[in-house]
């Protein structure tokens, strides 16, 4: 219990740090890009909107830094991230809430599939050393050395343009109206397969390797020999004694690497024009939509923190030594 | 003498698969008889643990068995199993049921993520699949009682137990299926003297009750004083002396045994100068030709440098039918045998 | 008590002979060879390039031919030349970022591992914060708001966001080393703290630091390529990412101009794979259990021995094999 409380405290501190970082970044960088854009939109903004943008970007020279900080926090807690420049006058929070579910679906699903597949493959590869699975390792390593987006490009070239199996872009068929019917869901699925495949192919190698190495290490632990000496079935020893212990570092690595995974999937969205957060971020960078950029960054960071917390809870359930740590 | 229950014949074991492999065991032959306690003693690295694990085929890579036979003969029915030629499933069925091992109870011998109760009984489900859960649980409680641990600890995880308790759990675990042979690998090494005493007494008591045969591996000869019926001394991967315990203590026939015995002071009796054996055990990769002990032996002669002694009868021949020794002194006439090796 | 020989744990500094063993590993050799090739290209790439990479010409979107070995872009630029010239940018930024990040992480990691207590907690907190915050979005935000993000800036930003991973590993290793006997012995001898750190601790961290460094370089290269691809960094410096940026923005995919984007990706993959192979080599060198797997695999296959935990194989040589 104490372990979880410590972790929760850590996440709160990290969240605070991320939000504060977000506050400082535009103020630390040279130049004044926001001013110019604000001037451009000047007549179309309400005074409230203008004010919140000022707070967001530190343009209010009258207020002291501390006061700006407090107002910034006030806005954040109200979900006010300002107005998007490129989707003007839609508030940033609305843009984000429309695209976040797509990313959660795609990234969430692909990451879990990749982790599960990779870990299972790693269990077998580490258990039966010298098998064909070991030969698979260089191949998957090669794939993990390539940027996500390049695999995405190849996937599009081969499967979408070449073989015409899957659509090349988008989240669903633009001709359909979004609703919960079979046609729409089917279209969502078929549009999601290539991006998901890209993510899985690129990231699976890391899990296979990590699990395999841990299996090799754990297999030579005494308790595995004891399990064999007891005459237990091979499956029981492999999973119950070896894998169950070997998976622990992988779970904590999973949590830590969520940041990296999210980064990679963002780029995949960009290539596939998949309507998620990554795509939105790309558009925002392209059109220098600073409020949107910062809102997206904040949401991504907070989501990663939440995912980390979930991973920590899972780890606690798996390792009794942590659970009972008094 | 009772029937042999575990017979090891000319077992040879290498570490490594290429030409540079270390010959950890060379032609080791040993027999465990029903109901006896056989002590296996020697310095660290002499191969005693290797022998036990190779015989049960539990030696980890890069260990490989290069020769010999190991036969288990049941005393309860007509079964007999050649452990080196058995299939995986035959071996698995025999493991723990016929022959169980008490591993050193250091932190690593118990699975850290399973509760103690589960580890005490998971082999019951495998070997006696028809056992009900209630019966398994009852057996677990029985086992804990046997070794003197409160049954509430069944729901604990290994890291919550003390070192002494873990060792006792290992003992209880080994006895779960009432095996015929129990191999104990240095079960008291990691414990303090007081704990050692308790464990040894516990083992003696359990054995008296259940009657299983024991191979007790240790580097501590003083433990074997009360415990063992026979003792086999190992040096550099071979057995150098094999005799009833009483005889080994009162009348050692091998210079190494004599050296070992004079290395620890008796609590009673006249004070004498502490002996010991000069030098250190040989590097198994660079064994001297001839007798491996010759460089350190106080009574070595020329032949010892190039002829390797086999394990044979002592120079007293049929007068000591149950003794074997691997020393060239016993090939020579009785008069030439050094005094300290021919006590009666 | 019986005189038992006390096993002394040898002082763990690496000896010359074992360093050679590291080099004998096939994976390492392949990795170093590939990396060496690209380093060479980085040094002499612009001399080898047949054309100026920015030079436009009349032959637009031509597939590979004699005149243009890797074809041309939609403005007639030679893809091969772009690739060759871009190598230096990629490697320089990658290595620089890797170096900066590793230095930072070693300082933080060793200090945290050595100090213990509150200092350790604070530094670990710092590292964990940077670790959890997703790097790429942060880099995008920062680089996107900078007026002109050139190579050095990018390297700096990448190293400031990517140092945390290594510092954790370094800290863990330092912690375990600190408790080892030889450190206690050195302390008892009155060895001063700086000497202790430099001469006792750091040499034993070599493997960990090298692996982390290589990992960070991979991360840096992938990050900078990605940044270039998105268009966040300056497009006036040539690197493989900018090639892909132009390819993407000019619908290379739709027009089937595979020669425009495939080679760049392959190069990235080659460098990444080379670095990973070197890391494998180090891993196998450090963890002997992994090592024997590879080296003995051939022998085992030849003798048809299955080396398994829990079932010691029986190999009787030429007079028949049984059991496994």
């Amino acid at each position: 219990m104490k372990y979880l409380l410590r972790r929760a405290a850590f996440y709160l501190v990290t969240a605070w740090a991320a939000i504060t970082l977000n506050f400082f970044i535009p103020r630390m960088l040279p130049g004044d890009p926001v001013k110019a854009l604000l001037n451009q939109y000047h007549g179309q903004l309400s005074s409230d909107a203008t004010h919140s943008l000022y707070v967001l970007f530190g343009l209010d020279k009258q207020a002291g830094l501390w006061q700006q900080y407090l107002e910034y926090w006030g806005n954040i807690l109200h979900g006010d991230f300002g107005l998007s420049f490129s989707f003007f006058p839609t508030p940033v929070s609305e843009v984000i809430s429309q695209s976040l579910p797509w990313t959660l679906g795609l990234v969430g699903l692909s990451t879990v599939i990749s982790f599960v597949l990779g870990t299972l493959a790693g269990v077998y590869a580490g258990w039966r050393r010298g098998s064909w699975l070991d030969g698979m390792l260089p191949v998957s390593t090669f794939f993990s050395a390539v940027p996500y987006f390049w695999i995405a490009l190849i996937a599009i070239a081969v499967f979408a343009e070449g073989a015409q199996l899957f659509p090349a872009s988008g989240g669903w068929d633009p001709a359909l109206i979004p609703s919960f019917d079979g046609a729409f869901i089917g279209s969502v699925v078929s549009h999601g397969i290539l991006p998901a495949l890209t993510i899985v192919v690129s990231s699976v190698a890391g899990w296979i390797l990590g699990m395999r190495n841990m299996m090799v290490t754990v297999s030579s632990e005494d308790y595995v020999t004891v399990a064999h000496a007891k005459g237990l079935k091979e499956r029981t020893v492999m999973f119950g004694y070896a894998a169950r212990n070997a998976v622990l570092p992988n779970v904590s690595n999973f949590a830590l690497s969520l940041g990296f995974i999210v980064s990679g999937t963002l780029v995949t969205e960009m290539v596939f024009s998949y309507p998620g957060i990554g795509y939105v971020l790309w558009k925002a960078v392209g059109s220098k939509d600073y409020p949107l950029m910062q809102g997206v960054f904040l949401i991504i960071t907070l989501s990663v923190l939440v995912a980390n917390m979930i991973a920590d809870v899972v780890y606690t359930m798996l390792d009794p030594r942590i659970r009972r740590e008094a | 003498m009772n029937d042999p229950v575990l017979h090891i014949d000319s077992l040879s074991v290498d570490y490594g698969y290429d030409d540079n492999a270390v010959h950890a065991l060379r032609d080791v032959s040993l027999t465990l008889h029903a109901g006896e306690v056989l002590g296996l003693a020697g310095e660290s690295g002499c191969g005693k643990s290797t022998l036990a694990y190779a015989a049960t085929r539990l030696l980890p890579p890069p260990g490989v068995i290069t020769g010999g036979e190991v036969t288990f003969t049941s005393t309860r029915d007509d079964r007999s199993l050649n452990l080196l030629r058995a299939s995986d499933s035959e071996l698995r069925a025999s493991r723990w049921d016929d022959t169980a091992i008490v591993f050193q109870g250091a932190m690593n011998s118990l699975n850290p993520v399973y509760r103690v109760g589960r580890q005490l009984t998971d082999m019951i489900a495998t070997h006696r699949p028809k056992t009900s859960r209630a019966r398994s649980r009852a057996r677990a409680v029985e086992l804990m009682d046997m070794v003197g641990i409160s049954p509430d600890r069944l729901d604990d995880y290994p890291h919550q137990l003390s070192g002494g308790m873990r060792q006792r759990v290992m003992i209880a675990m080994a006895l779960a299926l009432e095996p015929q042979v129990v191999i104990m690998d240095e079960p008291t090494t990691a414990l303090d003297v007081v704990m050692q005493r308790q464990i040894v007494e516990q083992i003696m008591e359990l054995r008296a009750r259940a009657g299983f045969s024991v191979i007790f591996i240790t580097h501590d000869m003083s433990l074997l004083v009360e415990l063992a019926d026979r003792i086999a001394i190992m040096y550099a991967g071979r057995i150098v002396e094999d005799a009833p315990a009483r005889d080994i203590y009162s009348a050692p026939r091998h210079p190494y045994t004599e050296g070992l015995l004079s290395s620890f002071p008796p609590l009673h009796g006249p004070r004498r100068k502490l002996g010991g054996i000069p030098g250190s055990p040989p590097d198994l990769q660079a064994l001297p030709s001839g007798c491996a002990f010759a460089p350190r032996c106080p009574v070595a002669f020329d032949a010892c440098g190039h002829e390797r002694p086999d394990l044979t009868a002592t120079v007293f021949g049929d007068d000591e039918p149950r003794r074997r020794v691997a020393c060239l002194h016993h090939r020579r006439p009785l008069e030439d045998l050094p005094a300290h090796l021919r006590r009666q | 008590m019986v005189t038992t020989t006390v096993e002394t744990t040898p002082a763990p500094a690496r000896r010359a002979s074992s360093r050679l063993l590291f080099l004998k590993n096939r994976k390492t050799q392949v990795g170093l060879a590939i990396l060496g090739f690209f380093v060479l290209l980085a040094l002499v790439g612009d001399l080898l390039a047949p054309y100026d990479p920015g030079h436009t010409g009349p032959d637009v979107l031509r597939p590979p031919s004699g005149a243009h070995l890797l074809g041309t872009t939609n403005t007639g630029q030679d893809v091969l030349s772009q690739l060759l010239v871009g190598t230096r940018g990629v490697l320089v930024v990658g290595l620089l970022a890797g170096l900066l990040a590793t230095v930072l992480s070693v300082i933080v990691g060793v200090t945290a591992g050595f100090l213990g207590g509150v200092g350790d907690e604070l530094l670990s907190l710092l590292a964990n914060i940077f670790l959890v915050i997703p790097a790429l979005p942060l880099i995008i935000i920062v680089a996107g708001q900078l007026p002109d993000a050139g190579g050095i800036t990018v390297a700096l930003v990448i190293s400031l966001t990517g140092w945390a991973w290594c510092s954790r590993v370094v800290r863990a290793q330092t912690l375990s080393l600190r408790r080892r006997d030889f450190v206690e012995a050195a302390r008892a001898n009155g060895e001063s703290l700086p000497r202790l750190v430099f001469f006792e601790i750091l040499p034993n961290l070599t493997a960990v630091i090298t692996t982390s460094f290589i990992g960070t370089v991979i991360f840096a290269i992938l990050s900078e390529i990605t940044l270039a691809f998105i268009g966040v960094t300056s497009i006036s410096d040539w690197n493989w990412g900018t090639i892909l940026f132009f390819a993407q923005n000019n619908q290379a995919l739709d027009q089937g101009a595979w020669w425009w984007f495939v080679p760049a990706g392959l190069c990235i993959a080659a460098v990444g794979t080379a670095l990973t192979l070197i890391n494998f080599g180090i891993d196998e060198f450090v963890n002997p259990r992994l090592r024997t797997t590879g080296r003995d695999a051939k022998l085992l296959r030849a003798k048809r021995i299955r080396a398994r935990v829990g079932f010691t194989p029986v190999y009787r040589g030429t007079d028949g094999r049984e059991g496994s």
Side-chain angles (χ1 to χ4, degrees):
Chain A
M1 213 47 227
K2 198 170 171 197
Y3 172 74
L4 282 180
L5 285 177
R6 279 191 56 170
R7 297 301 288 169
F10 162 68
Y11 289 125
L12 284 175
V13 173
T14 309
W16 167 84
I19 295 175
T20 308
L21 201 66
N22 211 9
F23 174 76
F24 276 110
I25 286 178
R27 289 163 174 77
M28 287 192 305
L29 299 173
D32 211 345
V34 186
K35 206 67 183 289
L37 284 157
L38 271 181
N39 287 337
Q40 195 184 335
Y41 286 103
H42 189 67
Q44 301 160 10
L45 288 175
S46 73
S47 53
D48 282 339
T50 316
H51 185 72
S52 69
L53 279 170
Y54 271 28
V55 169
L56 207 59
F57 289 98
L59 302 169
D60 192 351
K61 302 294 179 209
Q62 277 96 31
L65 196 65
W66 181 247
Q67 199 190 346
Q68 289 182 32
Y69 188 53
L70 289 177
E71 287 201 49
Y72 170 74
W73 265 99
N75 285 355
I76 297 287
L77 290 173
H78 280 108
D80 179 6
F81 295 108
L83 297 178
S84 154
F85 288 164
S86 51
F87 293 103
F88 195 83
T90 326
V92 166
S93 43
E94 202 176 303
V95 176
I96 293 180
S97 60
Q98 277 177 351
S99 47
L100 193 57
W102 290 97
T103 303
L104 287 179
L106 179 68
V107 176
L109 223 60
S110 317
T111 314
V112 168
I113 292 177
S114 171
F115 180 73
V116 169
L117 277 180
T119 306
L120 273 177
V123 168
Y124 283 102
W127 191 249
R128 293 175 202 291
R129 285 182 270 174
S131 66
W132 62 271
L133 279 161
D134 263 353
M136 218 175 64
L137 219 49
V139 174
S140 47
T141 311
F142 174 79
F143 278 118
S144 71
V146 188
Y148 282 62
F149 65 84
W150 191 76
I151 297 189
L153 290 175
I154 300 287
I156 294 180
V158 171
F159 291 109
E161 313 265 324
Q164 301 265 331
L165 280 174
F166 297 105
S169 64
W172 67 92
D173 189 343
L176 295 177
I177 299 172
S179 58
F180 274 115
D181 59 27
F184 181 68
I185 294 186
S187 156
V188 166
V189 168
S190 82
H191 276 85
I193 288 186
L194 274 189
L197 202 67
T198 311
I199 295 172
V200 171
V201 163
S202 309
S203 54
V204 82
W207 305 128
I208 299 180
L209 197 62
M211 192 61 185
R212 169 188 169 268
N213 285 355
M214 270 319 286
M215 284 293 281
V216 170
T217 310
V218 164
S219 301
S220 33
E221 294 279 0
D222 292 340
Y223 53 83
V224 173
T225 308
V226 171
H228 277 122
K230 291 206 254 186
L232 297 175
K233 289 193 265 249
E234 174 147 18
R235 191 134 291 205
T236 314
V237 184
M238 179 164 73
F239 283 107
Y241 281 73
R244 186 74 175 60
N245 280 282
V247 83
L248 295 173
N250 241 21
V251 171
S252 57
N253 279 342
F254 178 71
L256 286 172
S257 59
L258 278 170
F260 294 118
I261 296 176
V262 164
S263 309
T265 51
L266 294 189
V267 190
T268 310
E269 283 185 11
M270 295 172 196
V271 173
F272 281 100
S273 304
Y274 200 78
I277 288 267
Y279 185 62
V280 165
L281 182 64
W282 183 38
K283 282 271 181 271
V285 171
S287 47
K288 302 232 180 273
D289 184 349
Y290 296 108
L292 189 55
M293 272 165 60
Q294 299 203 275
V296 169
F297 168 70
L298 212 52
I299 290 298
I300 293 176
T301 308
L302 293 175
S303 314
V304 170
L305 287 180
V306 169
N308 260 296
M309 268 197 282
I310 297 177
D312 276 344
V313 171
V314 170
Y315 190 92
T316 316
M317 296 194 310
L318 288 177
D319 189 347
R321 289 167 288 191
I322 299 288
R323 217 188 295 167
R324 305 295 178 100
E325 209 173 58
Chain B
M1 208 169 56
N2 289 339
D3 303 319
V5 65
L6 192 67
H7 180 58
I8 301 172
D9 186 14
S10 299
L11 189 64
S12 297
V13 170
D14 281 354
Y15 278 122
Y17 310 108
D18 54 15
D19 297 325
N20 294 334
V22 177
H23 303 302
L25 289 181
R26 300 171 292 151
D27 283 325
V28 173
S29 296
L30 192 61
T31 308
L32 175 71
H33 301 93
E36 90 176 331
V37 177
L38 174 60
L40 198 50
E43 290 167 294
S44 307
C46 68
K48 35 191 209 300
S49 293
T50 307
L51 179 57
Y53 291 115
T56 48
R57 300 219 14 220
L58 285 169
L59 204 60
V64 58
I65 299 170
T66 51
E69 307 292 345
V70 176
T71 319
F72 167 79
T73 311
S74 171
T75 54
R76 296 178 191 162
D77 44 37
D78 280 330
R79 275 181 316 123
S80 132
L81 180 68
N82 183 326
L83 292 171
L84 300 188
R85 293 177 196 265
S87 67
D88 282 2
S89 46
E90 286 173 328
L91 204 51
R92 280 204 197 98
S94 163
R95 279 179 171 171
W96 224 250
D97 211 350
D98 296 332
T99 312
I101 305 188
V102 176
F103 292 84
Q104 276 195 53
M107 189 51 175
N108 265 330
S109 293
L110 288 170
N111 188 341
V113 298
Y114 282 171
R115 294 180 207 271
V116 170
R118 180 171 181 174
Q119 299 189 52
L120 272 181
T121 52
D122 56 5
M123 80 295 269
I124 299 183
T126 312
H127 289 268
R128 316 244 199 277
K130 302 221 179 73
T131 316
S132 70
R133 285 229 284 175
R135 184 74 198 91
S136 288
R137 181 77 181 183
R139 178 70 180 149
V141 173
E142 245 175 70
L143 291 168
M144 294 291 262
D145 275 337
M146 258 203 271
V147 293
I149 305 181
S150 155
D152 327 328
R153 310 301 298 252
L154 280 174
D155 290 326
D156 282 351
Y157 288 95
H159 67 275
Q160 294 171 283
L161 302 177
S162 71
M165 280 177 137
R166 281 200 291 269
Q167 187 62 66
R168 283 185 278 163
V169 167
M170 296 306 293
I171 297 175
M173 204 160 77
L175 299 175
L177 296 173
E178 295 171 321
Q180 298 183 38
V181 174
V182 179
I183 300 177
M184 303 202 171
D185 183 13
E186 312 244 23
T188 57
T189 304
L191 306 171
D192 60 74
V193 186
V194 177
M195 200 85 260
Q196 272 186 24
R197 178 105 301 254
Q198 285 183 15
I199 300 277
V200 167
E201 278 174 2
Q202 199 115 68
I203 295 173
M204 301 289 300
E205 198 201 328
L206 290 167
R207 205 191 66 87
R209 268 202 271 167
F212 46 81
S213 326
V214 175
I215 298 182
F216 195 99
I217 304 172
T218 181
H219 61 266
D220 183 358
M221 286 277 278
S222 54
L223 273 181
L224 296 175
V225 175
E226 313 150 51
L227 210 43
D229 300 320
R230 298 177 63 79
I231 298 182
I233 312 272
M234 285 190 73
Y235 187 81
R238 311 188 96 210
I239 297 187
V240 297
E241 184 158 10
D242 177 0
R246 228 174 331 124
D247 295 339
I248 284 217
Y249 283 104
S250 56
R253 296 279 179 247
H254 193 284
Y256 179 59
T257 316
E258 161 69 37
L260 279 181
L261 289 171
S262 67
S263 300
F264 59 91
L267 276 179
H268 312 286
R271 266 204 261 175
R272 60 178 172 82
K273 194 157 178 207
L274 206 58
I277 311 171
S280 43
D283 178 3
L284 286 177
Q285 285 185 297
L287 282 171
S289 53
C291 173
F293 184 61
R296 302 166 79 189
C297 180
V299 294
F301 57 96
D302 333 306
C304 300
H306 38 259
E307 198 186 323
R308 215 173 56 189
D310 290 328
L311 195 62
T312 56
T314 68
V315 73
F316 295 98
D318 290 334
D319 292 340
E320 307 184 317
R322 296 170 68 206
R323 301 196 63 161
R324 292 184 301 160
V325 69
C327 178
L328 291 178
H329 277 291
H330 290 266
R331 308 275 177 78
R332 296 157 107 211
L334 179 54
E335 307 81 59
D336 296 336
L337 191 64
H340 61 282
L341 296 180
R342 66 158 109 161
R343 300 186 205 129
Q344 292 295 334
Chain C
M1 292 295 291
V2 173
T3 34
T4 45
T5 35
V6 176
E7 281 158 20
T8 45
T9 329
R14 301 270 173 245
R15 311 247 172 252
S17 55
S18 37
R19 227 174 280 140
L20 282 179
L21 183 65
F22 161 64
L23 286 174
K24 279 204 195 110
N25 185 324
R26 182 107 73 87
K27 296 194 180 93
T28 323
Q29 288 170 339
V30 172
L32 284 171
I34 299 179
L35 189 65
F37 170 69
F38 280 102
V39 167
L40 205 63
L41 280 188
L43 292 170
V44 300
D46 44 2
L47 296 173
L48 285 175
Y51 300 85
D52 177 56
H55 176 77
T56 60
D59 295 325
V60 293
L61 278 185
R62 291 268 196 271
S65 63
H68 296 275
L69 286 172
L70 286 177
T72 58
T73 70
N74 71 333
T75 49
Q77 295 164 336
D78 179 40
V79 174
L80 178 65
S81 306
Q82 293 183 339
L83 213 58
L84 286 173
V85 173
T87 313
R88 181 181 303 175
V90 171
L91 287 185
V92 164
V93 173
L95 287 172
L96 189 63
L99 201 66
L100 289 172
T102 306
V103 167
L104 197 56
S105 66
V106 167
I107 294 176
V108 173
V110 173
T111 317
F114 224 76
L115 283 183
V118 178
D120 182 10
E121 298 269 332
L122 284 177
L123 285 173
S124 298
L125 186 64
L126 189 68
N128 283 339
I129 291 178
F130 271 99
L131 202 56
V132 166
I133 295 180
L136 196 66
L138 182 60
I139 300 175
I140 292 177
I141 302 284
V142 172
Q145 296 187 17
L146 286 172
D148 184 24
I152 309 289
T153 324
V154 172
L156 210 65
V157 173
I158 292 177
S159 61
L160 284 175
T161 50
W163 62 269
W165 184 279
C166 310
S167 76
R168 268 181 76 99
V169 180
V170 169
R171 171 183 170 273
Q173 190 75 352
T174 310
L175 275 176
S176 79
L177 278 176
R178 197 180 69 160
R179 295 192 198 112
R180 292 249 239 128
D181 293 338
F182 72 97
V183 173
E184 291 295 341
R187 264 217 179 115
N189 267 342
E191 197 160 325
S192 71
L193 197 63
R195 274 191 69 89
L196 196 66
V197 169
F198 273 104
F199 291 103
E200 305 283 354
I201 304 254
L202 275 184
N204 290 300
L205 289 176
T206 332
V208 162
I209 295 179
T210 318
T211 327
S212 308
F213 170 69
I214 293 178
T216 314
V217 170
I218 299 178
F219 164 71
I221 291 180
L222 288 179
S223 299
E224 58 158 326
I225 303 277
T226 308
L227 287 175
F229 174 71
I230 302 176
V232 162
T233 55
S234 155
I235 52 176
S236 53
D237 299 330
W238 280 106
N239 72 34
W240 300 336
T242 39
I243 300 177
L244 292 169
F245 170 75
F246 285 120
Q248 174 75 338
N249 282 2
N250 292 303
Q251 272 77 40
L253 217 64
D254 296 332
Q255 306 190 45
W258 58 269
W259 58 88
W260 199 351
F261 63 88
V262 167
L266 286 178
C267 285
I268 302 169
V271 173
T273 311
L275 290 168
T276 313
L277 283 176
I278 297 176
N279 255 358
F280 279 169
I282 300 181
D283 265 349
E284 285 184 7
F285 175 61
V286 167
N287 186 350
R289 291 188 199 111
L290 291 174
R291 192 197 315 162
T292 45
T293 310
R295 194 176 42 156
D296 292 332
K298 274 198 222 125
L299 260 173
L300 291 173
R301 256 195 301 265
K303 293 190 179 170
R304 306 246 204 103
I305 303 176
R306 268 179 74 199
R308 293 183 290 159
V309 172
F311 289 90
T312 315
V314 181
Y315 177 69
R316 297 179 194 266
T318 47
D319 51 297
R321 310 167 289 273
E322 55 243 276
S324 56

